[in-house]
């Protein structure tokens, strides 16, 4: 699946990556796809939890090497 946006969060540390990701998700349209690139180990836990909580889809994650990559699709986000 091809991303609509790339969000480079390398060198940001918790809580900044999640705050920047939430800010970007608020601005994009439903069903658009965003590739998130980060080197913060806390995102391995936080990004999947954010997707569950906010109703987004985590299409793919590559957390075996740095930088970590996450492919997300904006979902039904009535909690935004």
């Amino acid at each position: 699946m091809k991303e609509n946006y790339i969000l480079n969060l390398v060198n940001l540390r918790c809580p900044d990556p999640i705050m920047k990701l939430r800010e970007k998700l608020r601005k994009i349209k439903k069903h658009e796809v965003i590739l998130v690139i980060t080197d913060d180990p806390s995102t391995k836990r936080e990004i999947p939890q954010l997707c569950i909580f906010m109703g987004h889809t985590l299409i793919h994650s590559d957390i075996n090497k740095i930088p970590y990559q996450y492919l997300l699709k904006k979902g039904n986000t009535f909690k935004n």
Side-chain angles (χ1 to χ4, degrees), residues 31-80:
H31 301 300
E32 287 188 316
V33 175
I34 182 168
L35 174 64
V36 179
I37 302 168
T38 181
D39 59 349
D40 183 356
S42 71
T43 60
K44 293 192 282 187
R45 175 187 66 255
E46 292 174 354
I47 288 180
Q49 287 299 316
L50 174 78
C51 290
I52 291 167
F53 182 73
M54 300 301 293
H56 305 302
T57 302
L58 181 57
I59 298 167
H60 177 75
S61 64
D62 182 0
I63 57 172
N64 295 318
K65 63 185 182 314
I66 296 174
Y68 309 120
Q69 295 187 12
Y70 304 90
L71 195 61
L72 287 73
K73 181 168 72 170
K74 184 172 180 172
N76 296 326
T77 54
F78 62 90
K79 296 180 183 180
N80 251 0

Side-chain angles (χ1 to χ4, degrees), residues 5 24-33 74-75:
Y5 304 95
K24 183 67 174 177
L25 285 166
R26 284 187 195 107
K27 295 178 181 178
I28 69 175
K29 296 177 184 161
K30 183 178 169 184
H31 301 300
E32 287 188 316
V33 175
K74 184 172 180 172

